Every structure is written in structure tokens, then in C-alpha cells.
Amino acid sequence: MFCPFYQMGLCQFLQTSQESEKYDSWAVVTGPTAGIGKGFAFELARKELNLILVGQNPEKLKDVSDLILAKFGKTQIKTVVVDFTSDLDDGVRKLRETIEGLEVGILINNVGISYPYARFFHEVDEELLKNLIKVNVEGTSKATQAVLPGMFQRKRGAIVNIGLGAAIVIPSDPLYVVYAATKYIYQFSRCLYVEYKKNGIDVKYQVELYVTTKMESIKRSSCFVPSTNGYAQAAMHWIGYGPRCIPYWPHAILWTLAYALPESVVDSWRLGFCLGIRKRGQLKYSRKKE
């Protein structure tokens, strides 16, 4: 029987950390100005990797670059402004130009968007629908396509795809239908892992549950809800081990609990939970309009 805690959590304690020196000296991070992406940027700099930060807001890219340089002064940082909801072809062209001649060893695919708050599928407007697909599917695919050829040529590299726990841990994610469906990254990662493992490229799907991010609307960390820095530290530790993991081991306990319950029970709980988020979100947005 498949046991998420054993497979994803407890067995990881028996492994030793892969050294970042196994890969080349540059790392690309998408969505690095906040949340998990920002945590990864700091952890990569701590490991003495140089950074290419890819994000939408040039001012926020500069701010996070300055913060990293203040703490890790030897880090080389390049920034690439890409609006993942707009002309991706132009953004990917800029990314290719920036990494040309650089030995990029690690790609962190972190960029992604969700709903402003939970809503039924018929309430999802055209703009939100388009952006969810554009950012979560096309953005991740094209960023990978830009960086992968160099890794393939050098026969080494690591691609880390940050995945949504709701897309794999629980049987459904009602009121976040498009978000859960567009987080297709597990199958994308697994197929890439099989395709490129023999070429020295490690592709990892990292399962994220709740973390203290703006997207999750959680401000305080706890045992089961790590800070973004705590999550990134755990995630860095498992780069290079197999196609899938839960880097923060208490999340594996939650997965095991969800796995042990009947799907109908989890579905019912999740629907009620998301209906509560929808109600609070509607109230918040109605107050903003007043």
C-alpha cells in the first residue's frame, strides 16, 4: 500500500543532501519577489550560486536583489522582467538572451497565480481564466524550454517545479477548479524526469501544502505551516532526489491523514472549507467597493 508519510517524509531522513556544487554556478528563479520564490533566491545565494531573477515588477526585482546583495555580497544577480500574463514570447526571448553564455545549473519554476478568493466555476471571468492558463501552464513550460537546452548540452542540471498539494494530495479542490487543473506540473515533471534523467538532469516535483504566503493568505507560521524561508530550506535539501517529494516533512503527515480518509469525506470537508473562503472573500471585496 502506498504510504505518503513513509515514501515522502520518513524515508527522506535516511538520505543525505545533494550538494549544490553538483550543478553549475547560476540559478534561475521565476516569481522571486515574494513567498517561496524569494525564500529560494536567498537559499541559493546562501549556497553561493549566482542568480537570474525572473519576475513582472522591475522595482520589486531590484528590492529583492538589494536585500540579497546586502546579505550575500559576492552573489552576482541578473534580473529579467517578464509579464507572464502578457507577451510570453518576448519575455522568453529576454530570458534566453540573459542566460546565453552562462552555465545555468538550477531552474526553480515557482511562478504561479491563483484565484483572488474561492469561487464557483461559472463565476470565473474570462480574464482570470486566461491568466491562470497563461501563467501556470504556458509560463512554466516556456521557462523550462528556455533553460533546458543548456543543461542538456552540459549533461547536468536540476529543474525544481513547485507543485500544488491540492492537485495531488486531495481528491478534489472545489471552488478552485481552474487553479487546481492548471497546476499540471506533476505529470509535466514526471515525464521530464524520465526523458532527461539519463542526460544528468534532475527534475523534481516538490509538493507544497500550506505555507505562509500572500497567495495562501496565511500570516503566521506553525508546525504544519512553515514560513517561506523554512520551506525553501527544506526544499533545497532534497534537490536531486527522485521525481517527487514533500520537502517539509510535517506536510507528509497531513497527506497521510488525507489519504487514510474516504474520498467522500475529504471532498465534503474541502467544499465546506472553500465555501467559507468564498464567503469571506466576497465580504472583503464588497467592502473595498464601498
Side-chain angles (χ1 to χ4, degrees):
M1 184 180 75
F2 176 75
C3 177
F5 179 59
Y6 175 77
Q7 297 260 346
M8 302 292 180
L10 183 61
C11 65
Q12 292 180 359
F13 291 118
L14 304 179
Q15 298 174 329
T16 57
S17 177
Q18 292 276 27
E19 294 298 325
S20 58
E21 289 81 0
K22 173 184 176 182
Y23 308 107
D24 290 314
S25 58
W26 286 86
V28 174
V29 184
T30 66
T33 58
I36 293 172
K38 185 176 180 180
F40 261 109
F42 273 86
E43 286 304 309
L44 290 162
R46 190 190 307 277
K47 296 287 187 180
E48 300 183 350
L49 274 79
N50 300 314
L51 301 174
I52 300 163
L53 305 179
V54 184
Q56 179 177 344
N57 189 312
E59 293 181 358
K60 290 183 178 181
L61 286 171
K62 184 181 184 304
D63 288 344
V64 74
S65 298
D66 290 344
L67 288 172
I68 293 170
L69 289 172
K71 194 167 185 178
F72 307 105
K74 294 182 179 180
T75 306
Q76 298 180 56
I77 301 178
K78 296 179 182 291
T79 61
V80 184
V81 178
V82 178
D83 184 354
F84 284 90
T85 64
S86 185
D87 186 359
L88 268 177
D89 290 336
D90 181 60
V92 171
R93 176 188 58 78
K94 290 190 290 186
L95 176 57
R96 291 183 191 274
E97 290 174 353
T98 301
I99 67 176
E100 186 175 357
L102 301 178
E103 294 187 341
V104 175
I106 297 177
L107 167 63
I108 308 295
N109 271 320
N110 170 72
V111 69
I113 62 170
S114 182
Y115 294 15
Y117 59 88
R119 59 189 64 185
F120 287 97
F121 182 61
H122 72 272
E123 298 172 333
V124 177
D125 59 73
E126 287 297 321
E127 184 71 13
L128 178 57
L129 179 63
K130 182 195 75 170
N131 288 340
L132 283 162
I133 296 171
K134 187 95 172 175
V135 177
N136 295 348
V137 178
E138 192 175 352
T140 297
S141 300
K142 289 197 171 184
T144 303
Q145 199 171 43
V147 175
L148 187 56
M151 294 180 176
F152 182 79
Q153 186 178 22
R154 292 186 299 274
K155 304 298 181 185
R156 60 182 177 272
I159 298 172
V160 177
N161 296 321
I162 308 302
L164 173 68
I168 187 172
V169 174
I170 56 179
S172 68
D173 198 17
L175 279 67
Y176 286 97
V177 172
V178 183
Y179 177 54
T182 56
K183 293 298 278 187
Y184 75 120
I185 289 180
Y186 172 59
Q187 193 67 3
F188 178 68
S189 303
R190 180 72 191 192
C191 293
L192 286 178
Y193 170 82
V194 174
E195 283 186 35
Y196 291 101
K197 180 63 178 176
K198 65 181 184 298
N199 300 108
I201 301 172
D202 299 313
V203 182
K204 169 75 75 175
Y205 175 82
Q206 294 197 340
V207 183
E208 172 224 337
L209 273 69
Y210 286 115
V211 180
T212 55
T213 66
K214 184 177 179 181
M215 185 181 294
E216 303 287 1
S217 299
I218 301 174
K219 297 180 180 179
R220 298 182 63 180
S221 61
S222 64
C223 175
F224 290 101
V225 183
S227 67
T228 54
N229 290 336
Y231 181 87
Q233 288 174 6
M236 282 290 297
H237 191 66
W238 303 113
I239 293 177
Y241 282 115
R244 178 178 66 177
C245 76
I246 301 179
Y248 186 68
W249 69 266
H251 285 173
I253 298 176
L254 296 178
W255 187 343
T256 301
L257 292 175
Y259 181 80
L261 294 171
E263 288 190 355
S264 59
V265 172
V266 180
D267 286 340
S268 179
W269 163 79
R270 187 64 182 174
L271 178 59
F273 180 79
C274 292
L275 283 170
I277 295 175
R278 176 177 179 269
K279 184 176 181 179
R280 292 190 296 272
Q282 288 176 324
L283 180 61
K284 180 179 177 180
Y285 271 75
S286 66
R287 287 173 178 172
K288 285 184 177 180
K289 291 179 180 180
E290 293 176 355

